[in-house]
C-alpha cells in the first residue's frame, strides 16, 4: 500500500454552539425552547447505569442547556480531544475549555486535516443520539420546532460552508411517524441522505419495528436514499451486568446494543419489505458480526417454524445483512481479521471525534496498524469507498 486514503468518518459528534436555538428557532418559540447557561456543577453520581447531575454554585463552571425541566451539562468525556487520557473525566466543561473544533465548523475542518479525515458525519449531543431530548419534552409543538431548527442549523450552518466535507445528519420527531416522514422529505429535498434513529425504539416507549408502525418511515427512507443511522446508546440505555458495576462494564459491552438491534431487523421482515433500505450501525465495532450472522442463519435453518419467521424471512438472515447493513469500526483488529465474513463491502471507518474514544490526532497511524496486509482495494473500501456508496457522496467520481 503506497498511501492510506483520506478517511471518511461515519461516526463523529458535534457540541452544539450556544447560539443554535436563539438563531434557528422561530422567535415565537424561543422563550420555551432550550437556553444556554454557564453555571457550577455538583459531583456527578453514576447509579444503576444512569448519571445523577446537580447544579452547585460553588462547583466547576460548566456549560448547560436548560429546557423545560431538563438541565443538561456538557462533560469532559464527550469533549475529550486535547486532554490527557486520565483527564477525560465526567467533570463539567465549558465550550471555552473545549478544543474549538468541538463546536466551530471552521476549526473542525482544520482538525480533520490534522487527522487525515476528508469528510465527517456528526451525531448530536444535547438532543442525544437520535433526538430523545425532544421526544421526551412535554410541549410537542415546541419540540417539533426544535427538531426542525436543529436540522436547519445542521444543514445550513454546520455543514453549509464545508464544501461537502461535513455531511448532514438530521433528526426526526420520534413521537409521530407522519411528522417524521414529512421531515425526511423536507431534508432530502435539500440533499440530506442520513437520519439518526433509535437502535431499539421500544426502550424509549415507542412502537417496535415489528409492529408496522414505522413502515412509512422506512418507506420514505428507501424512496429518498436516506440511510438510517443507529448509534449505540440511542435507546437511552447501555447494556450492563450488575447494577453497581462501574461505567467501564457498560463501555465494554456497548456493542451488545448494535447486536441486539441487528437481530431485531434481520428477523423483522423490514429488510424483506424494503429491499433498498440502508441501515448503518454507528460505534458498534464489528468483531462480533461473524458469530451473530452464523447464529442467525442457524436459527433460521433449524428453528424457523416454531421461531415465527418461516413465512416472514424467505432467505437466510445474512442475505439481508450483506445487502443492506453497514457496520463501522475504529479499534477492532479482530473484526479486520474477519473482514471476509464481516463483509468487505459492509464495513466503514470512524474517528469518534471529540469523544474519549477518539483516535484524534492519530487516526492515520491507528488505521494503518489495522489494515496492514490488506490489499489496496479493500483498504480503499474500508477507509472511504463504502462510506461514499452508503451515503451517496459526490466524492471520487
Amino acid at each position: 500500500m503506497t498511501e492510506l486514503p483520506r478517511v471518511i468518518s461515519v461516526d463523529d459528534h458535534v457540541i452544539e454552539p450556544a447560539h443554535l436555538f436563539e438563531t434557528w428557532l422561530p422567535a415565537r418559540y424561543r422563550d420555551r425552547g432550550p437556553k444556554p447557561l454557564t453555571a457550577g456543577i455538583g459531583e456527578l453520581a453514576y447509579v444503576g447505569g444512569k448519571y445523577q447531575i446537580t447544579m452547585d454554585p460553588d462547583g466547576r463552571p460548566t456549560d448547560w442547556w436548560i429546557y423545560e425541566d431538563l438541565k443538561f451539562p456538557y462533560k469532559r468525556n464527550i469533549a475529550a480531544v486535547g486532554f490527557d487520557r486520565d483527564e477525560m473525566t465526567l467533570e463539567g466543561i465549558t465550550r471555552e475549555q473545549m478544543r474549538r473544533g468541538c463546536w466551530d465548523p471552521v476549526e473542525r475542518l482544520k482538525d480533520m486535516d490534522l487527522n487525515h479525515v476528508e469528510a465527517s458525519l456528526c451525531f448530536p449531543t444535547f438532543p442525544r443520539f437520535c433526538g430523545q431530548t425532544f421526544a421526551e419534552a412535554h410541549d410537542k409543538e415546541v419540540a417539533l420546532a426544535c427538531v426542525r431548527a436543529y436540522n436547519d442549523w445542521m444543514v445550513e450552518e454546520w455543514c453549509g460552508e464545508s464544501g461537502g466535507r461535513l455531511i448532514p445528519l438530521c433528526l426526526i420527531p420520534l413521537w409521530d411517524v407522519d411528522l417524521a416522514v414529512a421531515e425526511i422529505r423536507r431534508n432530502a429535498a435539500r440533499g440530506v441522505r442520513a437520519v439518526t434513529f433509535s437502535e431499539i425504539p421500544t426502550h424509549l416507549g415507542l412502537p417496535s419495528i415489528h409492529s408496522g408502525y414505522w413502515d412509512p418511515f422506512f418507506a420514505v427512507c428507501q424512496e429518498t436514499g436516506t440511510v438510517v443511522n443507529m448509534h449505540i446508546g440511542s435507546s437511552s440505555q447501555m447494556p450492563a451486568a450488575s447494577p453497581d458495576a462501574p461505567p467501564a462494564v457498560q463501555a465494554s459491552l456497548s456493542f451488545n446494543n448494535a447486536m441486539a438491534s441487528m437481530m431485531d431487523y434481520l428477523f423483522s421482515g423490514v429488510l424483506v419489505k424494503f429491499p433498498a433500505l440502508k441501515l448503518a450501525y454507528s460505534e458498534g465495532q464489528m468483531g462480533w458480526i461473524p458469530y451473530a450472522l452464523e447464529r442467525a442463519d442457524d436459527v433460521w435453518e433449524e428453528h424457523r417454524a416454531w421461531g415465527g419467521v418461516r413465512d416472514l424471512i424467505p432467505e437466510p438472515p445474512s442475505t439481508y445483512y450483506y445487502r443492506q447493513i453497514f457496520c463501522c469500526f475504529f479499534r477492532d483488529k479482530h473484526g479486520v481479521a474477519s473482514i471476509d465474513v464481516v463483509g468487505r463491502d459492509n464495513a466503514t471507518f470512524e474517528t469518534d471525534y471529540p469523544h474519549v474514544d477518539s483516535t484524534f490526532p492519530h487516526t492515520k497511524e491507528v488505521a494503518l496498524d489495522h489494515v496492514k496486509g490488506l490489499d489496496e482495494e479493500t483498504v480503499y473500501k474500508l477507509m472511504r469507498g463504502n462510506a461514499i456508496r452508503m451515503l451517496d457522496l459526490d466524492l471520487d467520481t
Side-chain angles (χ1 to χ4, degrees):
M1 182 171 56
T2 55
E3 177 63 25
L4 186 79
R6 290 184 76 194
V7 167
I8 296 175
S9 176
V10 299
D11 172 40
D12 293 321
H13 301 266
V14 60
I15 302 296
E16 296 79 17
H19 68 260
L20 193 160
F21 295 101
E22 179 65 26
T23 300
W24 293 97
L25 195 61
R28 65 185 180 278
Y29 297 121
R30 287 177 194 160
D31 62 334
R32 293 180 286 160
K35 296 179 178 60
L37 174 70
T38 302
I41 191 170
E43 291 189 14
L44 274 69
Y46 187 78
V47 180
K50 300 288 185 181
Y51 295 115
Q52 295 182 357
I53 305 167
T54 58
M55 284 186 173
D56 181 350
D58 298 321
R60 177 187 295 272
T62 299
D63 278 345
W64 302 71
W65 287 102
I66 308 302
Y67 176 48
E68 294 190 342
D69 53 3
L70 174 67
K71 297 179 176 64
F72 181 97
Y74 288 124
K75 303 184 292 295
R76 191 177 287 189
N77 65 322
I78 62 172
V81 291
F83 292 99
D84 292 332
R85 181 64 56 189
D86 289 335
E87 295 177 330
M88 297 177 181
T89 65
L90 296 176
E91 295 175 273
I93 192 172
T94 65
R95 290 179 186 83
E96 289 305 310
Q97 294 168 327
M98 299 174 190
R99 190 175 180 91
R100 194 175 176 94
C102 293
W103 50 271
D104 181 330
V106 174
E107 295 300 316
R108 175 64 67 94
L109 293 175
K110 294 178 183 178
D111 278 354
M112 289 162 60
D113 288 336
L114 287 173
N115 203 31
H116 200 68
V117 173
E118 180 173 1
S120 169
L121 184 78
C122 291
F123 283 83
T125 302
F126 162 65
R128 312 219 301 277
F129 290 141
C130 66
Q132 303 101 298
T133 293
F134 302 124
E136 294 169 1
H138 305 297
D139 189 330
K140 289 299 191 289
E141 180 183 359
V142 176
L144 177 60
C146 288
V147 167
R148 291 172 174 166
Y150 178 91
N151 291 341
D152 291 344
W153 165 81
M154 166 62 63
V155 174
E156 298 182 37
E157 183 177 326
W158 179 251
C159 300
E161 301 298 321
S162 71
R165 295 186 63 193
L166 293 171
I167 306 161
L169 175 64
C170 287
L171 306 174
I172 56 169
L174 289 163
W175 59 92
D176 188 309
V177 71
D178 293 329
L179 292 175
V181 168
E183 191 62 12
I184 293 290
R185 291 195 184 282
R186 185 176 82 95
N187 293 315
R190 50 184 174 174
V192 176
R193 293 295 178 267
V195 65
T196 178
F197 187 61
S198 176
E199 61 207 350
I200 308 174
T202 53
H203 287 340
L204 304 179
L206 299 169
S208 162
I209 64 166
H210 302 273
S211 68
Y213 175 84
W214 296 105
D215 282 3
F217 167 68
F218 296 134
V220 74
C221 288
Q222 174 175 260
E223 174 193 334
T224 59
T226 300
V227 183
V228 178
N229 296 264
M230 294 172 286
H231 196 284
I232 54 168
S234 56
S235 54
S236 293
Q237 65 182 57
M238 296 289 277
S242 302
D244 55 348
V249 173
Q250 285 191 328
S252 300
L253 292 173
S254 60
F255 71 91
N256 278 0
N257 274 10
M259 183 167 61
S261 177
M262 192 176 83
M263 287 298 186
D264 229 11
Y265 276 95
L266 291 179
F267 286 111
S268 68
V270 167
L271 301 178
V272 178
K273 189 181 298 185
F274 304 103
L277 178 68
K278 291 185 283 189
L279 307 181
Y281 284 100
S282 307
E283 207 173 321
Q285 307 294 356
M286 62 186 190
W288 52 271
I289 288 176
Y291 175 70
L293 293 178
E294 178 183 343
R295 180 60 182 163
D297 283 355
D298 281 349
V299 167
W300 179 85
E301 184 68 37
E302 305 293 340
H303 307 287
R304 61 180 177 265
W306 74 266
V309 294
R310 181 187 58 198
D311 301 320
L312 185 64
I313 311 298
E315 298 179 77
S318 62
T319 305
Y320 309 103
Y321 166 81
Y322 290 118
R323 187 177 74 187
Q324 294 174 252
I325 296 178
F326 293 84
C327 59
C328 72
F329 74 102
F330 57 114
R331 287 191 185 92
D332 190 345
K333 291 184 179 180
H334 184 72
V336 174
S338 307
I339 195 63
D340 283 328
V341 183
V342 169
R344 292 174 189 249
D345 294 321
N346 299 80
T348 59
F349 197 72
E350 61 165 294
T351 79
D352 201 29
Y353 182 109
H355 282 188
V356 67
D357 252 337
S358 180
T359 53
F360 177 88
H362 307 296
T363 291
K364 185 175 183 180
E365 293 85 347
V366 171
L368 282 170
D369 186 44
H370 276 67
V371 303
K372 59 188 176 186
L374 295 179
D375 62 275
E376 290 194 12
E377 180 183 3
T378 298
V379 173
Y380 170 81
K381 287 180 176 182
L382 299 183
M383 293 297 105
R384 61 186 291 118
N386 291 339
I388 290 172
R389 181 167 53 86
M390 180 180 91
L391 293 163
D392 194 23
L393 302 178
D394 188 21
L395 296 170
D396 295 359
T397 55

